[in-house]
Amino acid sequence: MRIILFGAPGSGKGTQGDILGKRTGFPRISTGDLLRLAVRERTPLGLRAEAAMAEGRLVSDEIVEGLVRDRIAAADCRAGYILDGFPRTVVQAEALAAMDGARPEIVIGIEVDPEVLVERLSGRRVCPSCQAVYNLSAQPPARPGVCDGCGAALVQRPDDAAEVVRTRIAVYLRETAPLKDYYRRKSVYRPVDARGTIDEIARAIALVLDPKTAGRTPA
Ligand code: ADP
Ligand code: ZN
């Protein structure tokens, strides 16, 4: 079983992916997180990806496909996995089908009004130490500016700056949104309305992925 979380930047894919990972026991694979780690560690791959990420553009298909190919080969992905942020282009979707095509898949489309995206992304704060994610309106830390988990000072992701957010949304509409039709044609697309609280959306996703069948082939 493979669950693909699909949605615009700011749709809440990462938050929902975490919740879903805990519920299903499947690892959540975020290409954004893998790339940010590579950038922090200054690996050759990270150095190649850094500029595109800072500007809100896509990293090359070849780089992200390599990351995903290596990650899904790990033993903890054997029963299933959750993809967050991949595929982001039709080319990547075809590469994924070629890597692991026999595995049944379901695409959860987190559908959100584009108007709220800029606000959500510019309100996001992250912990540079333990990578916890907060939102000034939806999920604020108990003490302003301080990570609940580890006490570090929260920061804003560089690509959450307002100008970069606009590029990311434009890239999403041009490159990634067409994937919705691609997965609809494969009859694996399941829309979920992203209005509501984090818990309400998690429940809507759980309903789509009936818990009794979440680890098996969808009907
Ligand atoms: P968001 O979904 O909020 O935009 P992510 O953390 O998923 O953020 O991704 C951050 C950045 O990492 C993207 O703007 C892009 O530069 C790069 N990236 C992540 N996944 C991919 C991908 N599948 N293909 C190309 N670039 C990617
Ligand atoms: Zn922390």
Side-chain angles (χ1 to χ4, degrees):
M1 176 70 176
R2 160 166 72 219
I3 302 170
I4 297 173
L5 288 171
F6 177 84
S11 59
K13 295 187 303 291
T15 306
Q16 295 300 332
D18 270 344
I19 295 173
L20 201 54
K22 286 183 190 116
R23 207 172 62 75
T24 58
F26 296 159
R28 163 181 166 252
I29 303 173
S30 158
T31 43
D33 286 352
L34 292 173
L35 289 166
R36 277 185 290 278
L37 178 67
V39 170
R40 276 201 304 281
E41 293 184 338
R42 322 289 309 150
T43 67
L45 186 151
L47 295 176
R48 285 174 63 200
E50 189 169 23
M53 292 179 76
E55 290 164 19
R57 293 181 288 112
L58 293 183
V59 172
S60 77
D61 290 333
E62 174 225 331
I63 290 183
V64 290
E65 284 165 21
L67 279 174
V68 171
R69 183 176 292 111
D70 289 350
R71 182 63 188 85
I72 67 179
D76 66 337
C77 291
R78 210 165 295 149
Y81 52 87
I82 301 165
L83 289 173
D84 167 2
F86 183 92
R88 246 177 164 92
T89 63
V90 173
V91 170
Q92 290 176 13
E94 281 165 355
L96 177 64
M99 283 176 214
D100 196 15
R103 195 185 284 272
E105 67 190 351
I106 184 160
V107 180
I108 306 281
I110 306 187
E111 302 203 332
V112 58
D113 185 345
E115 260 124 70
V116 310
L117 296 175
V118 175
E119 185 196 315
R120 283 208 198 174
L121 289 165
S122 46
R124 174 157 64 187
R125 295 292 181 274
V126 296
C127 174
S129 176
C130 75
Q131 319 308 323
V133 180
Y134 299 88
N135 191 283
L136 297 185
S137 49
Q139 211 181 13
R143 272 205 298 147
V146 179
C147 179
D148 294 344
C150 75
L154 301 178
V155 298
Q156 187 172 43
R157 245 169 65 175
D159 63 342
D160 285 341
E163 327 77 70
V164 184
V165 163
R166 276 188 282 276
T167 303
R168 286 162 61 201
I169 293 171
V171 167
Y172 168 79
L173 293 173
R174 192 178 62 233
E175 308 277 345
T176 309
L179 271 177
K180 179 166 160 177
D181 278 334
Y182 173 93
Y183 282 120
R184 269 202 190 125
R185 280 194 296 272
K186 291 178 94 180
S187 305
V188 292
Y189 186 82
R190 304 285 183 275
V192 167
D193 187 339
R195 275 170 304 187
T197 64
I198 289 169
D199 284 348
E200 284 163 355
I201 299 161
R203 268 198 295 279
I205 292 175
L207 264 182
V208 166
L209 293 167
D210 176 349
K212 291 193 291 294
T213 58
R216 300 187 224 126
T217 313

